[in-house]
Amino acid sequence: MPARDGNEPTTRALVPDDLLRLRDIGLPEGSMVTSHTPLSVSPDGRSLAFLINRANPDTNSYCRALVVLDVASGGTRVVDTGGELITLSYILRGMLEEPGFPDLIVPVWSPDGRWIAYRKKVDGRVQAWRVAADGSGANAVAATADDAESVGWTADGTRILVGVRPGIRETRALIAEEGRSGYLYDDRFNPTTGAFPKITGEHPRVVLSAAPEGGDIRAADAGDAAQLGADVTLGGGSMFSATSRAGRASAKRDFLGPLMLHVEDAAGKAIPCEADICSGKITGLTWIDDTLFVVRSQGRANNEMAIWRWRPGKDNPRQILAGPDVLQGCTAAAGRLICLRENATTPRRVVAIDPGTGHVTVLYDPNPEFASIRLGTSRRLFFSNNVGIETWAELVVPPGYAGGKLPMVVVQYHSDGFLRGGTGDEYPVHAFAARGFAVLSFERPPFFATVKGTPKNNDELMATNNTDWAERRSLLSSVEAGVQKAIDMGIADPARIGITGLSDGASTAAFALINSDRFAAAAMSNCCMEPGAIATYGGPVWARAMQSQGYPPATRPNPEFWEPASIVQNAARIDTPILLQLADREYLHALDVWTVLTELGKPVEMYVFPDERHIRWQPVHRRATWERALDWFDFWLRGRRDESPAKTAQYARWDAMRQGQKTNEKP
């Protein structure tokens, strides 16, 4: 929990650890929209319970605290501490995936408001815990053989419910037994994640019932199990919904179409809604008495968020709040809307919103230190690409910027809320600005296929996107349009532009290295879409999925298809310095690229982080990634270096790369 001694300087410069040690409530990225709020309202509506999570890179761990907030006063108390980071798992292409992103932890109040149940990971196991709401004690409830996926209470509050998936443990045991005689290489394999079969299948949830004080674990009966809600695919999303005495509202869609709002009264009769708010990018629903509040993205390129109020069947929807700030997890308590709110230069806070006027009051700021930290200034830019698709970006300049051309780094591929490190939190925007860079924090435009057509499923979507690399061309055109706007404003130096990326952003960066002369340095956290990666390294299921989207199979090499997108095929003409910082579960995809670039004497450096996922989950690795990326762009775009003796070897390698780059320059 934050503590202030009153002796902080009025302002000070930001250091990267300020961003790394942010206290998070809910999922860390502002772009992550979920149908569940991390803010749990007590039965009497007077208190909120939520989990705070803070990285500690010194110990490579997380500080976690369960907090209760009094809605009237904003006062907080810590009711439990400890536990390890719980990361998300889900089924993708029939396989259990663990991308490294934090899972959302939602505390659950007992019906009498005296206790809170939540999931806590201790010694590698996720269990259900019971915590006294007044902070007087806590205990583990059920030492189950399987990780707790969800928790709840029976209707009478006498027992705690725990959702588990024993099929995962059972499948893992079968795989271990299979290893005694060798694994059959089949559809269960994804070689990049390890030389063993992955867990496959849906593995239905089993609901257990336990005594709150611990023990007496047994299968829950059907009535009690229903308290946890319907079973959904592991990690799968659900539609937005909200229920009150006045009726029920839900928002759902077909594939990638707009979310459609459906409302029924208390008797189940549909109430039509013809207003614009009833379709589009809806991100939250909640009721206060007979009034439904709809949170949605709107405005130019959906860059704003707004709250609308509507009494279904009684009046027309009315907007009470709109602007560039991100609103997440909105719920109702004590007659007000309670939301998480943040913007480009303000970390997330808990706020109360007047349901009639939209007036906002800050209830709790988990990161008060940022009031005394100097951040760069940000402005929102809008631009369209060469096929007319509009998007936006935040252009951040250093604190005290007084004009002149700056080196600029592009960070991708979402820019919602407080600017951390882009998608995956890999490239710290405000830390780059503090070093003297301009930063273009880029918001990904809609898929080419959804703007230019109406795909009915993912295969159709990707097949359209991949035809003549239409999606990659669209994205690169958008990035270049944003960069050009910053150049035209006299802020970005056209000769000193860098590009970064993770996941889809890394694919955009790789495509840019082949198809653009704009970028003088690059850093990627994944690499790369190459023939070998598509046909082999991702395993048989991945290969077939890619073939269904238009990629050629291994038996029919197609150099012409790959010409616009393969770094390997274009390596001889790529001279841009490339930094690769990769997870051990993904680096195989980059070996072809690294090998060819290295053989040609190109400036490339690759690091592999142990026990990492698609998203870096270990704080010490994120710190190392940030520091090296900052040094990399300082060296290549600003000609500066950190004089620390510990980095002597690093700069010796980079100096040799620069000399080789000069030697290879075309006359």
Side-chain angles (χ1 to χ4, degrees):
M1 292 288 285
R4 307 193 71 172
D5 60 14
N7 296 318
E8 297 97 335
T10 303
T11 60
R12 65 170 177 82
L14 176 135
V15 296
D17 267 17
D18 292 324
L19 299 170
L20 190 55
R21 295 177 185 270
L22 275 168
R23 298 177 187 87
D24 287 320
I25 301 172
L27 299 178
E29 294 186 19
S31 63
M32 298 297 292
V33 176
T34 173
S35 57
H36 300 289
T37 173
L39 306 174
S40 181
V41 182
S42 63
D44 62 8
R46 297 178 180 178
S47 300
L48 300 174
F50 51 83
L51 190 76
I52 290 181
N53 186 65
R54 190 188 197 197
N56 184 342
D58 295 333
T59 59
N60 198 27
S61 63
Y62 291 84
C63 177
R64 294 164 73 83
L66 183 64
V67 176
V68 171
L69 179 146
D70 180 79
V71 174
S73 68
T76 58
R77 62 180 179 274
V78 175
V79 296
D80 192 34
T81 60
E84 304 156 22
L85 182 71
I86 301 174
T87 55
L88 180 67
S89 298
Y90 56 82
I91 299 295
L92 178 65
R93 300 186 187 92
M95 299 181 186
L96 181 67
E97 299 291 348
E98 300 170 295
F101 201 79
D103 200 0
L104 182 66
I105 307 301
V106 182
V108 185
W109 291 82
S110 63
D112 62 8
R114 296 177 55 223
W115 301 92
I116 302 167
Y118 81 117
R119 294 186 297 142
K120 184 176 179 180
K121 186 175 183 180
V122 179
D123 296 330
R125 296 178 63 186
V126 182
Q127 299 181 23
W129 278 64
R130 180 187 70 156
V131 181
D134 62 4
S136 60
N139 65 276
V141 173
T144 58
D146 306 293
D147 284 346
E149 179 191 301
S150 52
V151 297
W153 295 83
T154 56
D156 60 7
T158 60
R159 297 183 68 80
I160 289 179
L161 303 170
V162 186
V164 297
R165 296 188 187 271
I168 293 176
R169 169 177 48 83
E170 293 162 359
T171 302
R172 188 174 284 119
L174 291 173
I175 291 172
E177 179 62 27
E178 181 185 353
R180 294 169 62 88
S181 58
Y183 302 125
L184 173 67
Y185 187 84
D186 56 16
D187 282 356
R188 300 170 298 163
F189 270 81
N190 179 345
T192 60
T193 61
F196 48 82
K198 294 178 71 71
I199 293 172
T200 58
E202 296 295 337
H203 306 294
R205 184 185 68 187
V206 173
V207 179
L208 305 176
S209 169
E213 62 274 11
D216 188 22
I217 303 170
R218 57 178 183 258
D221 62 38
D224 286 340
Q227 297 292 317
L228 286 187
D231 186 13
V232 295
T233 300
L234 182 64
S238 59
M239 65 181 180
F240 294 100
S241 63
T243 303
S244 78
R245 289 191 296 271
R248 182 176 186 274
S250 62
K252 52 188 176 181
R253 66 183 174 191
D254 296 325
F255 192 46
L256 292 177
L259 281 162
M260 306 298 294
L261 180 61
H262 302 270
V263 181
E264 299 174 350
D265 64 17
K269 180 181 178 181
I271 302 175
C273 179
E274 306 296 336
D276 289 344
I277 72 156
C278 295
S279 66
K281 199 171 181 181
I282 296 170
T283 60
L285 299 171
T286 193
W287 292 87
I288 297 180
D289 299 325
D290 66 345
T291 303
L292 176 65
F293 292 85
V294 180
V295 186
R296 67 194 305 270
S297 296
Q298 61 183 41
R300 189 174 181 183
N302 281 325
N303 87 104
E304 291 187 342
M305 295 197 77
I307 299 178
W308 292 72
R309 57 172 290 151
W310 177 40
R311 294 191 302 161
K314 298 179 181 179
D315 60 14
N316 294 320
R318 176 169 65 87
Q319 181 177 285
I320 63 168
L321 179 67
D325 288 11
V326 167
L327 299 166
Q328 282 189 336
C330 293
T331 188
R336 294 187 289 178
L337 289 171
I338 310 296
C339 302
L340 298 168
R341 189 187 196 196
E342 60 187 293
N343 60 40
T345 56
T346 306
R348 188 173 301 169
R349 299 181 290 185
V350 181
V351 301
I353 301 173
D354 186 286
T357 66
H359 177 74
V360 178
T361 303
V362 176
L363 289 181
Y364 177 63
D365 182 358
N367 297 286
E369 302 92 339
F370 272 76
S372 60
I373 294 174
R374 291 192 302 275
L375 297 178
T377 56
S378 175
R379 70 186 81 179
R380 188 159 291 185
L381 308 182
F382 295 89
F383 40 89
S384 296
N385 67 11
N386 60 357
V387 292
I389 302 175
E390 187 176 41
T391 191
W392 55 274
E394 295 284 352
L395 178 60
V396 182
V397 296
Y401 171 70
K405 294 181 179 180
L406 300 172
M408 187 173 78
V409 173
V410 178
V411 175
Q412 304 179 73
Y413 53 94
H414 285 299
S415 193
D416 308 89
F418 184 63
L419 299 180
R420 300 165 68 118
T423 297
D425 199 14
E426 290 281 291
Y427 301 98
V429 172
H430 288 295
F432 274 107
R435 286 273 186 109
F437 291 89
V439 183
L440 189 75
S441 181
F442 175 76
E443 177 67 17
R444 191 193 199 285
F447 287 122
F448 173 88
T450 61
V451 175
K452 300 300 180 180
T454 54
K456 298 180 180 61
N457 54 53
N458 190 65
D459 283 348
E460 285 189 14
L461 170 79
M462 298 308 296
T464 301
N465 279 344
N466 293 337
T467 299
D468 193 28
W469 302 95
E471 175 67 4
R472 289 293 144 216
R473 296 184 192 280
S474 173
L475 284 168
L476 176 57
S477 176
S478 293
V479 170
E480 289 184 318
V483 169
Q484 189 61 50
K485 191 149 194 173
I487 292 171
D488 293 343
M489 294 168 67
I491 293 175
D493 182 346
R496 296 187 293 162
I497 308 293
I499 189 168
T500 68
L502 173 138
S503 194
D504 185 74
S507 296
T508 298
F511 196 78
L513 294 174
I514 300 165
N515 295 279
S516 175
D517 295 325
R518 175 60 73 194
F519 302 102
M524 295 187 289
S525 301
N526 317 100
C527 176
C528 290
M529 296 289 279
E530 295 284 338
I534 293 297
T536 305
Y537 301 144
V541 172
W542 167 257
R544 289 198 299 273
M546 295 300 99
Q547 290 167 30
S548 72
Q549 296 170 13
Y551 289 91
T555 52
R556 293 197 298 275
N558 190 338
E560 184 179 352
F561 172 88
W562 283 104
E563 183 62 27
S566 168
I567 291 179
V568 169
Q569 286 187 204
N570 292 277
R573 62 184 186 83
I574 296 174
D575 295 311
T576 306
I578 304 170
L579 175 65
L580 303 174
Q581 302 197 82
L582 313 175
D584 56 350
R585 294 190 177 197
E586 295 187 334
Y587 84 102
L588 289 181
H589 285 290
L591 290 183
D592 290 352
V593 169
W594 182 87
T595 300
V596 171
L597 290 174
T598 301
E599 287 183 359
L600 292 172
K602 302 294 184 174
V604 60
E605 187 151 285
M606 182 168 76
Y607 290 83
V608 180
F609 288 92
D611 191 22
E612 277 297 356
R613 313 294 193 268
H614 189 64
I615 304 292
R616 240 173 285 282
W617 69 274
Q618 297 186 58
V620 69
H621 290 163
R622 180 163 287 126
R623 176 193 267 172
T625 299
W626 287 8
E627 183 175 357
R628 190 173 291 118
L630 288 162
D631 286 350
W632 182 260
F633 287 106
D634 254 347
F635 180 84
W636 292 104
L637 301 185
R638 302 177 72 216
R640 298 190 179 185
R641 63 184 69 210
D642 184 338
E643 297 299 336
S644 168
K647 296 181 179 180
T648 300
Q650 167 181 285
Y651 288 108
R653 293 192 305 273
W654 296 358
D655 283 334
M657 290 180 193
R658 174 171 281 165
Q659 185 58 43
Q661 189 184 41
K662 291 178 179 178
T663 302
N664 292 331
E665 283 181 355
K666 301 177 181 65

